[in-house]
Amino acid sequence: MRTALIVVDIQNDYFPNGKMELSNPDKAAANAVQVIDWFRKNNKDNIFHVQHIAGSPDLGFFLPNTAGAEIHETVQPLEHENKIVKNFPNSFLKTDLESRLREKGVDNVIVVGMMTHMCIDATVRAAVDLGFETTVIEDACATRELAYQERRVPAEQVHDAFIGALDGMYANVTSTEEFLQQGN
């Protein structure tokens, strides 16, 4: 199997003082760095950095040509690494991600990034629907607290619910430590 890493939306607006702060983005980014480093040593041609650029100012964050939309300094792509710009939660929607993965003969994808309940969920489900074997490294992902009507759902519960929904039916779910120990 040819494997690729998809690094989804680890961008400045998700970090402290950004326009859409997440819960523990630094921890998730630090774990993503470990996975990226593993790929840089073992599978350097198959790293895909995905950057979300708002298609409309109504989104309120990831606005074009702002510091908040830039990929976070901890996970900056190297010159030879693949970069995909998207305008929707699903990293495959109206991008060339699928065709670029297919050109490289990739049939297995590892997904890390942000937000678990939105872009990670949408990207993982799309990858599976497109026929890719998919793994999510759950502790290299982050999300935020949500509210529904008068109820608040803590970020940890949001993350666990979405990861739990993906686990098994849609993706293999693992941790950074387990991934690195397996030596994929």
Side-chain angles (χ1 to χ4, degrees), residues 12-30:
N12 293 334
D13 271 340
Y14 283 150
F15 288 80
N17 302 312
K19 293 185 178 185
M20 181 61 74
E21 283 187 51
L22 301 186
S23 177
N24 297 314
D26 293 306
K27 179 183 173 198

Side-chain angles (χ1 to χ4, degrees), residues 10-70:
I10 302 181
Q11 295 169 241
N12 293 334
D13 271 340
Y14 283 150
F15 288 80
N17 302 312
K19 293 185 178 185
M20 181 61 74
E21 283 187 51
L22 301 186
S23 177
N24 297 314
D26 293 306
K27 179 183 173 198
N31 287 329
V33 166
Q34 291 181 63
V35 177
I36 292 166
D37 286 346
W38 185 93
F39 268 83
R40 285 177 175 161
K41 291 176 188 152
N42 298 286
N43 194 357
K44 67 180 179 179
D45 294 329
N46 286 328
I47 301 171
F48 291 81
H49 296 267
V50 179
Q51 179 184 26
H52 193 134
I53 299 296
S56 164
D58 295 340
L59 185 61
F61 62 104
F62 294 162
L63 301 177
N65 305 311
T66 65
E70 292 176 12

Side-chain angles (χ1 to χ4, degrees), residues 96-109:
D96 63 351
L97 178 58
E98 179 186 8
S99 64
R100 290 171 71 181
L101 290 169
R102 302 242 187 250
E103 283 172 13
K104 292 177 173 278
V106 170
D107 49 15
N108 183 42
V109 295

Side-chain angles (χ1 to χ4, degrees), residues 67-84:
E70 292 176 12
I71 293 175
H72 195 264
E73 64 186 359
T74 57
V75 296
Q76 278 294 311
L78 299 180
E79 189 175 315
H80 71 277
E81 293 174 347
N82 303 282
K83 189 173 170 191
I84 306 288

Side-chain angles (χ1 to χ4, degrees), residues 105-123:
V106 170
D107 49 15
N108 183 42
V109 295
I110 309 291
V111 179
V112 301
M114 302 176 181
M115 288 191 288
T116 307
H117 76 276
M118 187 61 67
C119 298
I120 298 302
D121 184 65
T123 297

